[in-house]
Every structure is written in C-alpha cells, then in structure tokens.
Amino acid sequence: MNFRMAPYRVLAQNGRNWHILLLSDGRLQLDFGPFAMALHQDAFGLLHGLIEAATQNCPATAGCVAHAGAERSIWIDPQHGALLLAFDGVVLRFMPQELLVFVQLCREASRQIALVPPSFPLHCDRN
C-alpha cells in the first residue's frame, strides 16, 4: 500500500497477525488483531525499553521485572506463568515466549524509525 494514500505504514509484523503501525499523526499503533492501542513515539520508546529490560532480567520468582514508575512496569504472575505489562492504565498479558516475539516486533519498528529505547537497570525493587 502506498504510504501517501494510506493513513498508516506497517513498521513490523509477524505470523501471529501482530503489527506495529506508524500512523499519519506520528503515533505508533500496537495492533494485536482484536485489540490495538496507539502511543506517542516517546511512550513507545519507553515501552520498548521496558520489555528489553524484562527479557534480559526475567527471574523465576514473582514480582517486578522492569519498571519506569508505578503505571509503567512489567510483573511476573507466577500462578499463570505470565508476564503482565502495565502501561498507562492498560494491562497486557504475555506468556514468556510471546514477550520475546513482541520485543522482536518492537526492535524492528524502532529500527524503521531510528528510535533508540532507553535502558533500564537489570534489577527492580520488589517492595
């Protein structure tokens, strides 16, 4: 599709029907098929940095894996073996292998728009 005619450009996609789109207003849309959310590029960069930290620092115990404040963090849910991404009032649940797929999408999208996500420490206060 010609970007000049479409209201978006596909930055990254995978076989799960997940996409990251660059919208015509400069925001990025995380599209998971039946659910999508749009973020400004700085918020996307922060989210990308969080999931990068979570994939590098994923302990087997419950608690916070990565955080950038109370409303932007990733937690392990040991009861279901899932990772919970809380970001500005939205909570997304990923199985560990799904988070790896999502981080690959974020890497491709960031590469396409020359965005460098912030780094977070590889430890988290679990209190």
Side-chain angles (χ1 to χ4, degrees), residues 54-114:
T55 58
Q56 296 171 21
N57 180 39
C58 197
T61 60
C64 181
V65 178
H67 71 94
E71 294 190 15
R72 294 176 171 181
S73 56
I74 299 178
W75 298 79
I76 290 181
D77 174 5
Q79 182 178 3
H80 298 100
L83 292 134
L84 304 174
L85 168 62
F87 200 86
D88 293 345
V90 174
V91 177
L92 301 173
R93 182 180 66 94
F94 295 96
M95 297 309 289
Q97 65 276 15
E98 292 173 327
L99 192 66
L100 294 174
V101 170
F102 184 52
V103 79
Q104 291 296 327
L105 277 178
C106 290
R107 286 174 182 163
E108 178 61 21
S110 290
R111 189 184 65 72
Q112 292 286 330
I113 59 172

Coordinates of all heavy atoms in Angstrom, one line a residue, residues 54-114:
A54 N 13.0 -6.4 30.6 CA 12.3 -7.6 31.1 C 12.8 -8.9 30.5 O 13.0 -9.9 31.1 CB 10.8 -7.5 30.9
T55 N 13.2 -8.9 29.2 CA 13.7 -10.1 28.5 C 15.1 -10.4 29.0 O 15.5 -11.5 28.9 CB 13.6 -10.0 27.0 OG1 14.4 -8.8 26.6 CG2 12.2 -9.8 26.5
Q56 N 15.8 -9.4 29.5 CA 17.2 -9.6 30.0 C 17.2 -9.9 31.4 O 18.2 -10.5 31.9 CB 18.0 -8.3 29.7 CG 18.2 -8.0 28.3 CD 18.9 -6.7 28.1 OE1 19.5 -6.2 29.0 NE2 18.7 -6.1 26.9
N57 N 16.1 -9.6 32.1 CA 16.1 -9.8 33.6 C 14.8 -10.5 34.0 O 14.0 -9.9 34.6 CB 16.2 -8.4 34.3 CG 16.2 -8.5 35.8 OD1 16.8 -9.4 36.3 ND2 15.5 -7.6 36.4
C58 N 14.6 -11.7 33.6 CA 13.4 -12.4 33.9 C 13.6 -13.5 34.9 O 13.8 -14.7 34.5 CB 12.8 -13.0 32.6 SG 11.1 -13.4 32.7
P59 N 13.5 -13.2 36.2 CA 13.7 -14.2 37.2 C 12.5 -15.1 37.3 O 11.4 -14.8 36.8 CB 13.8 -13.3 38.5 CG 13.1 -12.1 38.2 CD 13.2 -11.8 36.7
A60 N 12.7 -16.2 38.0 CA 11.6 -17.2 38.1 C 10.6 -16.9 39.2 O 9.6 -17.5 39.3 CB 12.2 -18.6 38.3
T61 N 10.9 -15.9 40.0 CA 10.1 -15.5 41.2 C 9.1 -14.4 40.8 O 9.3 -13.7 39.8 CB 10.9 -15.1 42.4 OG1 11.7 -13.9 42.0 CG2 11.8 -16.2 42.8
A62 N 8.0 -14.3 41.5 CA 7.0 -13.3 41.3 C 7.6 -11.9 41.6 O 8.5 -11.7 42.4 CB 5.8 -13.6 42.2
G63 N 7.0 -10.9 41.0 CA 7.3 -9.5 41.3 C 7.7 -8.8 40.1 O 7.5 -9.2 38.9
C64 N 8.2 -7.6 40.3 CA 8.5 -6.6 39.2 C 9.8 -7.1 38.5 O 10.8 -7.5 39.1 CB 8.7 -5.3 39.9 SG 9.1 -4.0 38.7
V65 N 9.7 -7.1 37.2 CA 10.8 -7.4 36.3 C 11.5 -6.2 35.8 O 12.7 -6.1 35.7 CB 10.3 -8.3 35.2 CG1 11.5 -8.7 34.3 CG2 9.7 -9.6 35.7
A66 N 10.7 -5.2 35.5 CA 11.2 -3.9 34.9 C 10.2 -2.8 35.2 O 9.0 -3.1 35.2 CB 11.4 -4.0 33.4
H67 N 10.7 -1.6 35.5 CA 9.7 -0.6 35.8 C 10.2 0.8 35.5 O 11.4 1.0 35.5 CB 9.2 -0.6 37.3 CG 10.3 -0.1 38.2 ND1 10.4 1.2 38.7 CD2 11.3 -0.8 38.8 CE1 11.4 1.3 39.5 NE2 12.0 0.1 39.6
A68 N 9.3 1.7 35.2 CA 9.6 3.1 34.9 C 8.5 3.9 35.6 O 7.9 4.8 35.0 CB 9.6 3.4 33.4
G69 N 8.2 3.6 36.8 CA 7.2 4.3 37.6 C 6.0 3.3 37.9 O 6.0 2.2 37.4
A70 N 5.1 3.8 38.7 CA 4.0 3.0 39.2 C 3.1 2.5 38.1 O 2.6 1.4 38.1 CB 3.2 3.7 40.2
E71 N 2.9 3.3 37.0 CA 2.0 2.9 36.0 C 2.7 2.4 34.7 O 2.0 2.1 33.7 CB 1.1 4.1 35.6 CG 0.2 4.5 36.7 CD -0.8 5.6 36.3 OE1 -1.0 5.8 35.0 OE2 -1.4 6.2 37.1
R72 N 3.9 2.1 34.8 CA 4.7 1.6 33.6 C 5.7 0.6 34.1 O 6.8 0.9 34.5 CB 5.4 2.7 32.9 CG 4.4 3.7 32.3 CD 5.2 4.9 31.6 NE 4.2 5.7 30.8 CZ 4.6 6.8 30.2 NH1 5.9 7.2 30.2 NH2 3.7 7.4 29.5
S73 N 5.2 -0.7 34.1 CA 6.1 -1.8 34.7 C 5.7 -3.1 34.1 O 4.6 -3.2 33.5 CB 5.9 -1.8 36.2 OG 4.6 -1.9 36.6
I74 N 6.5 -4.1 34.3 CA 6.3 -5.5 33.9 C 6.5 -6.3 35.1 O 7.5 -6.2 35.8 CB 7.2 -5.9 32.8 CG1 7.0 -5.0 31.5 CG2 7.0 -7.4 32.4 CD1 7.9 -5.3 30.4
W75 N 5.5 -7.2 35.3 CA 5.4 -8.1 36.5 C 5.3 -9.5 36.1 O 4.7 -9.8 35.0 CB 4.2 -7.7 37.4 CG 4.3 -6.3 37.9 CD1 4.0 -5.2 37.2 CD2 4.7 -5.9 39.2 NE1 4.2 -4.1 38.0 CE2 4.7 -4.5 39.3 CE3 5.1 -6.7 40.3 CZ2 5.0 -3.8 40.4 CZ3 5.5 -5.9 41.4 CH2 5.4 -4.6 41.5
I76 N 5.8 -10.4 36.9 CA 5.6 -11.9 36.7 C 4.4 -12.3 37.5 O 4.3 -12.0 38.7 CB 6.8 -12.7 37.1 CG1 8.0 -12.4 36.1 CG2 6.5 -14.2 37.2 CD1 9.2 -13.2 36.4
D77 N 3.5 -13.0 36.8 CA 2.4 -13.7 37.5 C 2.7 -15.2 37.6 O 2.5 -15.9 36.7 CB 1.1 -13.5 36.7 CG -0.1 -14.2 37.2 OD1 0.0 -14.8 38.3 OD2 -1.2 -14.2 36.6
P78 N 3.2 -15.6 38.8 CA 3.6 -17.0 38.9 C 2.5 -18.0 38.8 O 2.7 -19.1 38.4 CB 4.3 -17.0 40.3 CG 3.7 -15.9 41.1 CD 3.3 -14.9 40.0
Q79 N 1.3 -17.6 39.2 CA 0.2 -18.5 39.1 C -0.1 -19.0 37.7 O -0.5 -20.1 37.5 CB -1.1 -17.9 39.7 CG -2.3 -18.8 39.8 CD -3.5 -18.1 40.4 OE1 -3.5 -16.9 40.8 NE2 -4.6 -18.8 40.5
H80 N 0.0 -18.1 36.7 CA -0.2 -18.4 35.4 C 1.0 -18.5 34.5 O 0.9 -18.8 33.3 CB -1.2 -17.4 34.8 CG -2.5 -17.4 35.5 ND1 -2.9 -16.5 36.4 CD2 -3.6 -18.3 35.4 CE1 -4.1 -16.7 36.9 NE2 -4.5 -17.8 36.3
G81 N 2.2 -18.2 35.1 CA 3.4 -18.2 34.3 C 3.5 -17.1 33.3 O 4.1 -17.3 32.2
A82 N 2.8 -16.0 33.5 CA 2.6 -15.0 32.5 C 3.4 -13.7 33.0 O 3.7 -13.6 34.2 CB 1.2 -14.6 32.3
L83 N 3.7 -12.8 32.0 CA 4.2 -11.5 32.3 C 3.1 -10.5 32.1 O 2.5 -10.5 31.0 CB 5.4 -11.3 31.4 CG 6.6 -12.2 31.8 CD1 7.2 -12.8 30.5 CD2 7.6 -11.4 32.6
L84 N 3.0 -9.6 33.0 CA 1.9 -8.6 32.9 C 2.6 -7.2 32.6 O 3.5 -6.8 33.4 CB 1.1 -8.5 34.2 CG 0.4 -9.8 34.6 CD1 -0.2 -9.6 35.9 CD2 -0.6 -10.2 33.5
L85 N 2.3 -6.6 31.5 CA 2.8 -5.3 31.2 C 1.7 -4.3 31.5 O 0.6 -4.3 30.9 CB 3.1 -5.2 29.7 CG 3.4 -3.9 29.1 CD1 4.6 -3.2 29.7 CD2 3.6 -4.0 27.6
A86 N 2.0 -3.5 32.5 CA 1.1 -2.4 32.9 C 1.7 -1.1 32.3 O 2.8 -0.7 32.6 CB 1.0 -2.3 34.4
F87 N 0.9 -0.4 31.5 CA 1.4 0.8 30.8 C 0.2 1.8 30.7 O -0.7 1.6 29.9 CB 2.0 0.4 29.5 CG 2.9 1.5 29.0 CD1 4.3 1.5 29.3 CD2 2.5 2.5 28.1 CE1 5.1 2.4 28.9 CE2 3.3 3.4 27.6 CZ 4.7 3.4 28.0
D88 N 0.3 2.8 31.5 CA -0.7 3.9 31.4 C -2.1 3.5 31.4 O -3.0 3.8 30.6 CB -0.5 4.8 30.1 CG 0.9 5.5 30.2 OD1 1.4 5.7 31.3 OD2 1.3 6.0 29.1
G89 N -2.4 2.6 32.4 CA -3.8 2.1 32.6 C -4.2 0.9 31.7 O -5.3 0.5 31.9
V90 N -3.3 0.5 30.9 CA -3.6 -0.7 30.1 C -2.8 -1.9 30.6 O -1.6 -1.7 30.9 CB -3.3 -0.5 28.6 CG1 -3.4 -1.7 27.8 CG2 -4.2 0.6 28.0
V91 N -3.3 -3.1 30.8 CA -2.6 -4.2 31.2 C -2.6 -5.3 30.1 O -3.7 -5.7 29.7 CB -3.1 -4.8 32.5 CG1 -2.3 -6.1 32.9 CG2 -3.0 -3.8 33.6
L92 N -1.5 -5.7 29.6 CA -1.3 -6.7 28.6 C -0.7 -7.9 29.2 O 0.3 -7.8 30.0 CB -0.5 -6.2 27.4 CG -1.0 -5.0 26.7 CD1 0.0 -4.5 25.6 CD2 -2.3 -5.2 26.0
R93 N -1.2 -9.1 28.9 CA -0.6 -10.3 29.5 C 0.1 -11.1 28.3 O -0.5 -11.3 27.3 CB -1.7 -11.2 30.1 CG -1.2 -12.5 30.7 CD -2.3 -13.3 31.3 NE -3.2 -13.8 30.2 CZ -3.1 -15.0 29.6 NH1 -2.2 -15.8 30.0 NH2 -4.0 -15.3 28.7
F94 N 1.3 -11.4 28.6 CA 2.1 -12.2 27.6 C 2.7 -13.4 28.3 O 3.1 -13.4 29.5 CB 3.3 -11.4 27.2 CG 3.0 -10.2 26.4 CD1 3.0 -8.9 27.0 CD2 2.8 -10.2 25.0 CE1 2.7 -7.8 26.3 CE2 2.6 -9.1 24.3 CZ 2.5 -7.9 24.9
M95 N 2.7 -14.5 27.6 CA 3.4 -15.7 28.0 C 4.9 -15.4 27.7 O 5.1 -14.5 26.9 CB 3.0 -17.0 27.3 CG 1.5 -17.3 27.6 SD 1.1 -17.4 29.4 CE 2.0 -18.9 29.8
P96 N 5.8 -16.0 28.4 CA 7.3 -15.6 28.2 C 7.7 -15.6 26.7 O 8.3 -14.7 26.2 CB 8.0 -16.6 29.0 CG 7.1 -17.0 30.1 CD 5.7 -17.0 29.5
Q97 N 7.3 -16.6 26.0 CA 7.7 -16.7 24.6 C 7.0 -15.6 23.7 O 7.5 -15.1 22.8 CB 7.4 -18.1 24.0 CG 6.0 -18.5 23.9 CD 5.4 -19.1 25.2 OE1 6.0 -19.0 26.3 NE2 4.2 -19.7 25.1
E98 N 5.8 -15.2 24.2 CA 5.1 -14.1 23.5 C 5.8 -12.8 23.7 O 5.8 -11.9 22.8 CB 3.6 -14.0 23.9 CG 2.8 -15.2 23.5 CD 1.4 -15.1 24.1 OE1 1.2 -14.6 25.3 OE2 0.5 -15.6 23.4
L99 N 6.3 -12.6 24.9 CA 7.1 -11.3 25.1 C 8.3 -11.3 24.2 O 8.6 -10.2 23.7 CB 7.5 -11.2 26.6 CG 8.0 -9.8 27.0 CD1 6.9 -8.8 26.9 CD2 8.5 -9.9 28.4
L100 N 8.9 -12.4 24.0 CA 10.1 -12.4 23.1 C 9.7 -12.1 21.7 O 10.4 -11.4 21.0 CB 10.8 -13.8 23.1 CG 11.4 -14.2 24.5 CD1 11.9 -15.6 24.4 CD2 12.5 -13.2 24.8
V101 N 8.5 -12.6 21.2 CA 8.0 -12.2 19.9 C 7.7 -10.7 19.8 O 8.0 -10.0 18.9 CB 6.7 -13.0 19.6 CG1 6.1 -12.5 18.3 CG2 7.1 -14.5 19.5
F102 N 7.1 -10.2 20.9 CA 6.8 -8.8 20.9 C 8.0 -7.9 20.9 O 8.1 -6.9 20.2 CB 5.9 -8.5 22.1 CG 5.4 -7.1 22.2 CD1 4.7 -6.5 21.1 CD2 5.6 -6.3 23.3 CE1 4.3 -5.2 21.1 CE2 5.1 -5.0 23.4 CZ 4.5 -4.4 22.3
V103 N 9.0 -8.3 21.7 CA 10.3 -7.5 21.7 C 10.9 -7.5 20.3 O 11.5 -6.4 19.9 CB 11.3 -7.9 22.8 CG1 12.0 -9.2 22.4 CG2 12.2 -6.8 23.1
Q104 N 10.8 -8.5 19.5 CA 11.3 -8.6 18.2 C 10.6 -7.6 17.3 O 11.2 -6.9 16.5 CB 11.3 -10.0 17.6 CG 12.2 -11.0 18.2 CD 13.7 -10.6 18.0 OE1 14.0 -10.0 17.0 NE2 14.5 -10.9 18.9
L105 N 9.3 -7.5 17.5 CA 8.5 -6.5 16.7 C 8.9 -5.1 17.1 O 9.0 -4.2 16.2 CB 7.0 -6.7 17.0 CG 6.2 -7.7 16.3 CD1 4.7 -7.8 16.8 CD2 6.2 -7.5 14.8
C106 N 9.1 -4.9 18.3 CA 9.5 -3.5 18.8 C 10.8 -3.2 18.3 O 11.1 -2.0 17.9 CB 9.4 -3.4 20.3 SG 7.8 -3.5 21.0
R107 N 11.7 -4.1 18.2 CA 13.1 -3.8 17.7 C 13.0 -3.4 16.2 O 13.7 -2.5 15.8 CB 14.0 -5.1 17.8 CG 14.4 -5.3 19.2 CD 15.2 -6.6 19.4 NE 15.6 -6.9 20.8 CZ 16.0 -8.0 21.2 NH1 16.0 -9.1 20.4 NH2 16.3 -8.2 22.5
E108 N 12.2 -4.2 15.4 CA 12.1 -3.9 14.0 C 11.4 -2.5 13.8 O 11.9 -1.7 13.0 CB 11.2 -4.9 13.3 CG 11.0 -4.7 11.8 CD 12.2 -4.6 11.0 OE1 13.3 -5.1 11.4 OE2 12.1 -4.0 9.9
A109 N 10.3 -2.2 14.6 CA 9.7 -0.9 14.4 C 10.6 0.2 14.8 O 10.7 1.3 14.1 CB 8.4 -0.9 15.3
S110 N 11.4 0.1 15.9 CA 12.3 1.1 16.4 C 13.4 1.3 15.3 O 13.8 2.5 15.1 CB 12.9 0.7 17.7 OG 12.0 0.8 18.7
R111 N 13.8 0.2 14.7 CA 14.9 0.3 13.7 C 14.3 1.1 12.5 O 15.0 2.0 11.9 CB 15.3 -1.0 13.2 CG 16.5 -1.0 12.3 CD 16.9 -2.4 11.8 NE 15.9 -3.0 11.0 CZ 15.6 -2.6 9.7 NH1 16.2 -1.6 9.2 NH2 14.7 -3.2 9.0
Q112 N 13.1 0.9 12.1 CA 12.5 1.6 11.0 C 12.4 3.1 11.2 O 12.4 3.8 10.2 CB 11.1 1.0 10.7 CG 11.0 -0.4 10.2 CD 11.5 -0.5 8.8 OE1 11.3 0.4 8.0 NE2 12.1 -1.7 8.4
I113 N 12.2 3.5 12.4 CA 12.0 4.9 12.6 C 13.2 5.5 13.4 O 13.1 6.7 13.8 CB 10.7 5.2 13.4 CG1 10.7 4.5 14.8 CG2 9.5 4.9 12.6 CD1 9.5 4.9 15.7
A114 N 14.3 4.8 13.5 CA 15.6 5.2 14.1 C 15.3 5.7 15.5 O 15.8 6.7 16.0 CB 16.2 6.3 13.3

